[in-house]
Amino acid sequence: APTAAEENVLRWSSQAAIANLDPHGTTGALPLSILGNVYEPLVGRDKDMQLVPVLAESWEVVTPTTWRFKLREGVTFHNGNPFTADDVIFSLERVGNKYSFLRDRVSMIKEMNKIDDLTIEFVTNKPYPILPQTWTSIYMMDKEWAEKNDATVPSNSVENIESFAGQVSNGTGPFTVVERVAETRTVFEPFKDYWDTVGHNLDKVVYLPITQDGTRVAALLSGEIDMMFPVPLQDIERLKSNADTDVLIQPELRTIMLGMDQRREDALQTEPEGNPFKDKRVRQAIYQAIDINGIQEKIMNGLSEPAATLISPLLFAPAGDMQRYPFDPEASRKLLAEAGFPDGFKTALVCPNNRYVNDERICQAVTSMLARVGIEIELRTMNVSQYWKVVGRPVQEFAIYMMGWTPGGLDSYSVLFNLMGSWDEDSGRGRINNGDFANERIDEIVAAVESETDQAKRDALIQEAYQIVHDEVYYLPLHQQAVVWGVRNGIEVMQRPDDYFQYKSARIAR
Amino acid sequence: MSLLDLKDLKIHFDTRRGTIEAVRGIHLSLERGEILGVVGESGAGKSTIGNAIIGLLDPPGRIAGGEIWFDDRRIDTLSEQGMRAIRGRRIGMIFQDPMTSLNPLLTIGDQIAETICRHSDLAKGPAMERAIELLGEVGIPDPSSRVNDYPHQFSGGMRQRVVITLALCADPDLVICDEPTTALDVSVQAQILTLLRRLCRDRNVGAIFITHDMGVISEVTDRVAVMYRGRVVETGKTSDVLTHPTHSYSKSLLAAVPRSDVRLDHFPQLDYREAGDTRAERKVIDLATHWLGRRAAEPAANDTPLVQVDNLTMRFALHHSVIPSWRRSFTAVRDVSFEIHSGETFGLVGESGSGKSTVARMIAGLYQPSFGRIRYDGTEIAGPEAQVMSASMRQQIQMIFQDPFSSLNRRKRVSEIVSEPIRHHRLAQDKAEADAIVADLLEHVGLGAQAARCYPHEFSGGQRQRISIARALATRPQFLICDEPTSALDVSIQAQILNLLKSLQAELGLTLLFISHDLPVIRQMCDRIGVMKTGELVEIAPAEHLFKAPQHPYTSHLLSLMPQVAGQGKLERVNDR
Amino acid sequence: MIRYVSGRLAQSILVMFLVAAVAFSLFGFVGDPIRQMITEDASQAEIERLRDVMGLNDPISIQFWRYISGAVQGDFGVSYFHKRPVGTLIAERMPATVELAGLSVLLSVLIGIPLGVYTGLNRFGRVARGLMAVSLIGISIPTFLIGIMLIYLFSVILGWLPSFGRGDTVSILGGSWSTGFLTISGLKSLILPSITLALFQTTMVMRLVRAEMLDVMRTDYIKFARARGLGKRAINFRHALKNTLMPVVTVIGLQLGNVIAFAIITESVFQWPGMGRLFLQAIQQVDIPVMSAYLIMIAFFFVIINLITDLAYYAIDPRLRSNTLKGTANA
Amino acid sequence: MPETSAPATLSRWQRIRQSDIAISFLASPVTVAAAVVALLMIIASVGAAFIAPQNPYDMGAIDIFDAMLPPAWEEGGDARFLLGTDAIGRGILSTILYGSRMSIFIGLVSVALSLLIGVSFGLIAGYRGGLIDAIIMRTAEVQLALPTILVALLINGILRAVAPPSTLDNVAILVLILSIGLSNWVQFARAVRASTMVERGQEYVLAARLIGIGQLAIMFRHILPNVLGPILVIATLNLSGAILTEATLSFLGVGVPPTRPSLGTLINDGTNFLFSGAWWITIFPGAALALLVLTVNLVGDWMRDVLNPTLE
Ligand SMILES: Nc1ncnc2c1ncn2[C@@H]1O[C@H](COP(=O)(O)OP(=O)(O)OP(=O)(O)O)[C@@H](O)[C@H]1O
Ligand SMILES: Nc1ncnc2c1ncn2[C@@H]1O[C@H](COP(=O)(O)OP(=O)(O)OP(=O)(O)O)[C@@H](O)[C@H]1O
Ligand SMILES: [Mg+2]
Ligand SMILES: [Mg+2]
């Protein structure tokens, strides 16, 4: 065995500790991404976000409501058990547990039929064209192991159950967890019997969470860690100018936007009385008063992609062809005057202050830009745990609010259904349409897209919906932020737009 | 060469209001084995000299001129380091105030033992044994258990004895005693004086003895210096000065010494005023027109005694415990009963630690008696059926505390301290009137209206005692408890104040409970006297009766020990039985 | 004595109950736990379902009752966020915090008291005045700034000390306690955070001791102690210092409690795996079981600390032991 | 006994000049300097609207393209912004001026609040003892266990529920003052109580009781001046704590709005830029705060000494 000095140890850091190793016990993007090195889904994504087979070799739609998945052969769990259809059924049932917070992801399943050990059929309640996309972070567990260790249900705080799987892992992934000290570190080692060939040359990976941005940057600078993300935008220069470190940058998938209250008769904290946001001219005036390039240059250090609509062109290529309304305070003032506000009006904006990259600063900049066309804004920012409560249904305490959205399954449908459709309590359509605008045509498109399997037709419908939102200025899209990783020289990692760090693609150059 | 030489010593206090010349160039010298008495006006600078010798002047005091020589070395210029080698070891010091001289957080034994350890090579254990021995020598009963007590558990006189022990425990060559026996009963006082004398004679120790008690001066000192306003006005052999004073201040002082042989109507008072004294002329009070004479309501004259004390018992818990047998308590007052009639002065004498102050405090309502009851003017104020004292009753009962140092709030000006009762009981129409009353009261206790602006720490011991008296008088009380009211006062001021009390009594029927160790004063002041010993009241008798024919052996023992001033007629001792 | 202590402990149950009650009544203001746990694109129906399942739709009083009846049996629930029993979570993080807090309070006492004595004695000395001014730096610069600057200097530029974490720890006491005091890296890791944390308290202790020293040095018993020729050390430390201790003990007690309970900023800056971070996380994640248990524990902590401080008063000042004044205050 | 006599008639000004406080104040040049600096800072912040080159609270006047400018004397600096600008283009100098007003106000008022509550409770608990003491001290323990953050959220929640929306701005400040004030009273209470327990047995207290002075008056007029020493120390030290806590609370959305930054918020934000070289965002406000704290403490030290007449 190599001695400690020769070992290739990769120490890296990000914001949050892995609270729990149970792959079905968390919904956080970071823990799920880290666990992705230990556990694997049936279907994954490559670095361009394209679907790739992982534990499923292939899948097909048998009928609009029936999917057949063919499982990979020769896959074993870390404990040596073979991976079979039973494990899939077990895992999906486990995810569907009453207390699971991921239950949404499998609630469309009506039944699961094991055809043979490596084939399985899923029947959905209604056509569900994005089934594989939805499951990219549903990880497979070993049924036998779980049953033996009494880990058949994920941990939950209602029945005070702590799952065994929360502390010990047994996946099929390329790495195993060998040591864990709460809040301090998690140590991974390669899994020798991994089914796939791997390109990495690591002997050990140590994950060291560091919450504070400054400390994390310092740790990279001082050489205590080899790689970390996210890098605060203002520290990019510092890492670049340091001889031993560098940064990797990629656009992210999330789109940041502003929404407005278009439901209340009297918008909150708005003077004069009434709801100016019901008037499209006002919405457009606000749109055109925002200097997105200024924000990009001064607040995002040039690292943002101004967005013309609610989805990244990486996820929906036609979005790249759409154009923003130009920044034009003159036009904006004129529109306001036409709408009956020649002297502007007073209103309020709520923003999170620890959710998106430089969220608070963006809102301050917007506040100042709007002030220049006469819209006086009362800005309130808060921590995200407060934020969702204030902004989300049913409280919706805002006049203008900020929000960022990465579509679930990376498909436009999620945007259409959640953000653009009008609120429908039964189906949950328009759930995140917090501003509560309603457009019949969009609702029709949502319904059509849901079961449209012809890709071209579907894309056309989606584009039409985006166009309506643009024309009616229902939202004020801002930009896609960037993913920035800091690395020490000599470390090669594959950066992905979804911030997933796959150990199997990392190399340490000697 | 003499042991101690003060050459033209000047001491100044630079205060915010200007410089106070406390000592204005004095010359004094002291031989080995000699005892020098220092007497004089309260505030004359006696304590200041003592402090200066040992290098511990209170800031902002400073030696403004002159030299101090000790054992052929000049010591006023010594470094702190150098002084430390002298203090305690070569010069022992007893400060005027025994109550605050002891660290409240350390036991008596610890404080003595640490001093012994510091100045000898005894280990802690033997030092503690020595401490017990020394405490026994100064007459603390049961010293081996009381070494573990804390200062607040000791009576004033007992603390004073501890302080004496502390000053003497390292066998110094010079002791400075600043009123070492004021809080002591005559028997302990005699014991201490003998001890000091023996020390000086046998071991050739020099002593400076600051006191107001002419009897003590006459009994122990070899030479005496009389001080007035920062100067030594007269020095000489004790017997010469006491019998043939030359300076007129000395004369006025001696004239005021209370007689122990006959009872007089008033204390003799002779005023001496130096040219240049800015203080106002001493005023004779006319109670018919004076503020103090204005009374809210005359007490109904009836036959019931004003104060009635029945079976009073006080127990102090020494050790708390859940387990009853572990609890220790100390019975300071046991089964004391007496009554005081309206317009009378009731004296309380007795050995130090016998519970006099405790009785006084219980009557004043400051301590809750463990058993027994107290009635004031017919109303029960302590006991099983006690009522809450009304404001007017509060106004009627006042007390002068034994310790003038700690009974004044150190953060308040004298004006606030004295005017507080006036303001509280709304005895003045407005602030101006209150201020006038305060000024007047301060004049009458011999401080001068200027004093109102100062803080207590700026005063000498006797001056503080007078502030305390002024405060007690400010409510125009009906019943005044005096716990050693004049112990720190020179006899001339003492006479002035006691005369004031007497005239208040004569014209307004003031009732007094008078606690003192000074038997001549007691004789002059009291109508009836109670004698206390170890918590019990052993005898009550009319004053003259008691002095002439004491009943209890303890009483006669006390009387026999009364120090005598040379030149005054000896007390005719009537043997008991 | 025994009765006093047991009485106080009995009162502490009331305190803990009250803390739990207050805590529960304010959880409504902290945020919505479900939203913290679920994916952002979860459906409304799913959110409602989970609310129901988790009992969050029940009236607060019922939730409180449920919690308290569990707590009485020693069951503080499972964390929403960590999905682990709250007791375990706290126990895991306790050693880190206690060691850091203990060390920094110790530092502040060991440095603050001598400096306080010194500055009190040399009121007008140049060094003393300098110290007084410098000491203010510790409190006028925010903790996080000090922390970051220390990291920058000692980790990034000099590379002497680790910038985060606890270093290597060793399990002692049968594995129930992990200590950083027994390894080199553990000790090195303690340096920066404990200095950061100790700065404020050192200033506080120093200034308090100085203030009290100034008063005490003017008392008659100190003068008399000097007149007896006692040594400088005996006077300054045995006589004077002891008389300054009441407020100092009070404040040290409170600070120790505060540091253990809420050393959030220091723990965050240095990624110290302690209870402060656990609590901050709990607030951000609206992790009600953790918050409640934590607050109850802290309440108990303060009860104990205050009890010890009160006992210390009696140990320090014999005058408090005498009962002459009891009940007479209103006579 | 002092015999230097003061002239009988003094003009008011003379009397003020001759008062103890004035004399000792003028005798201490450091204190005078500190007081002058503190006063200047307070005046500057109150008069920020007249002194500051820009109005950082006027969002319309802020230009994002001015963001992150270094101080005027550095390369790339702009003469309009003497001390540089922050991340959204506010002049640091102007923001310090405007921000200290908020910070000083919140700091002073909240410390005064905790002082008031703490000293009163401490005196009562220490003087009365028994049941009252137990109740007050147990309340204190409940308070201790609740961190400022939660108290702030609670008060915020309650006030927002009861206050009309138009007053929400002021509510934010009220929330800050109340929550910081309420979180800190225990320190004062316990320190005062400790000293009061000792003082209440002193003879001067007995003397006051004898006069018949009420318990409250004894506590506040007699005992309080004697236990004030540690209190002033704690109070002056708490001032900076309060100012910085305010910034921490803003993070939760209960503080001042980010468009009206306080000194604390400014420092807080600025730390994010330390590594990137934009030191001015945090260093200048930090220095302003340090200066304020320093001067307040110097004046506090002096005041402590003046209130103690035995120190000359
Ligand atoms: N707080 C206390 N705790 C315990 N014992 C006490 C306390 N106060 C007084 N004593 C004891 O009670 C006894 C009587 O004390 P008290 O002060 O009444 O004596 P006294 O007659 O006034 O003596 P002196 O003439 O010396 O002042 C003494 O033995 C003293 O030690
Ligand atoms: N700290 C001080 N500040 C100002 N003046 C002081 C101070 N201490 C003492 N004095 C003054 O010095 C003078 C002498 O005081 P000292 O204590 O020596 O008098 P004394 O002769 O001992 O009087 P007594 O017999 O009353 O004790 C007094 O007039 C007093 O007012
Ligand atoms: Mg004297
Ligand atoms: Mg007595």
Side-chain angles (χ1 to χ4, degrees), chain B residues 92 161 163 165 182-183 194 207 221 225 239 369 538 552:
Chain B
R161 282 178 269 169
V163 170
T165 310
T182 40
T194 320
T221 61
S239 50
V538 295
H552 196 273

Side-chain angles (χ1 to χ4, degrees), chain B residues 69-88:
Chain B
W69 289 78
F70 171 70
D71 207 11
D72 297 341
R73 266 166 79 198
R74 187 165 169 191
I75 58 169
D76 56 324
T77 50
L78 275 186
S79 66
E80 178 67 22
Q81 187 77 24
M83 271 320 282
R84 210 174 293 133
I86 290 180
R87 289 186 201 131

Side-chain angles (χ1 to χ4, degrees), chain B residues 195-321:
Chain B
L195 188 84
L196 269 174
R197 287 251 302 256
R198 211 179 53 222
L199 206 67
C200 297
R201 302 285 175 268
D202 300 355
R203 285 205 259 111
N204 222 13
V205 169
I208 294 181
F209 210 97
I210 303 171
T211 182
H212 293 301
D213 191 328
M214 289 302 172
V216 170
I217 288 284
S218 120
E219 290 204 349
V220 296
T221 61
D222 302 310
R223 283 192 308 128
V224 66
V226 182
M227 286 192 67
Y228 179 71
R229 296 235 306 149
R231 292 212 178 80
V232 173
V233 293
E234 182 167 0
T235 42
K237 276 193 60 173
T238 305
S239 50
D240 295 347
V241 175
L242 289 191
T243 44
H244 307 291
T246 52
H247 194 271
S248 39
Y249 175 69
S250 318
K251 285 182 191 151
S252 75
L253 201 60
L254 279 165
V257 173
R259 295 177 69 96
S260 55
D261 45 357
V262 284
R263 185 175 165 139
L264 304 171
D265 240 12
H266 268 83
F267 289 85
Q269 241 177 299
L270 228 171
D271 265 5
Y272 168 77
R273 291 180 54 77
E274 198 178 56
D277 189 339
T278 53
R279 287 170 294 181
E281 194 80 22
R282 189 171 290 170
K283 277 186 261 176
V284 180
I285 209 161
D286 178 8
L287 285 174
T289 55
H290 193 265
W291 174 81
L292 274 176
R294 257 181 277 148
R295 262 276 159 74
E298 281 295 313
N302 52 14
D303 288 344
T304 52
L306 187 67
V307 179
Q308 245 178 314
V309 173
D310 296 321
N311 303 81
L312 215 53
T313 296
M314 180 71 195
R315 260 192 217 139
F316 291 112
L318 296 178
H319 187 269
H320 302 260
S321 175

Side-chain angles (χ1 to χ4, degrees), chain B residues 156 357 402 483:
Chain B
S357 301
Q402 182 171 6
D483 195 353

Side-chain angles (χ1 to χ4, degrees), chain C residues 166-185:
Chain C
R166 262 187 106 189
D168 299 329
T169 54
V170 177
S171 273
I172 52 170
L173 304 177
S176 58
W177 191 273
S178 72
T179 178
F181 279 107
L182 298 177
T183 64
I184 300 287
S185 81

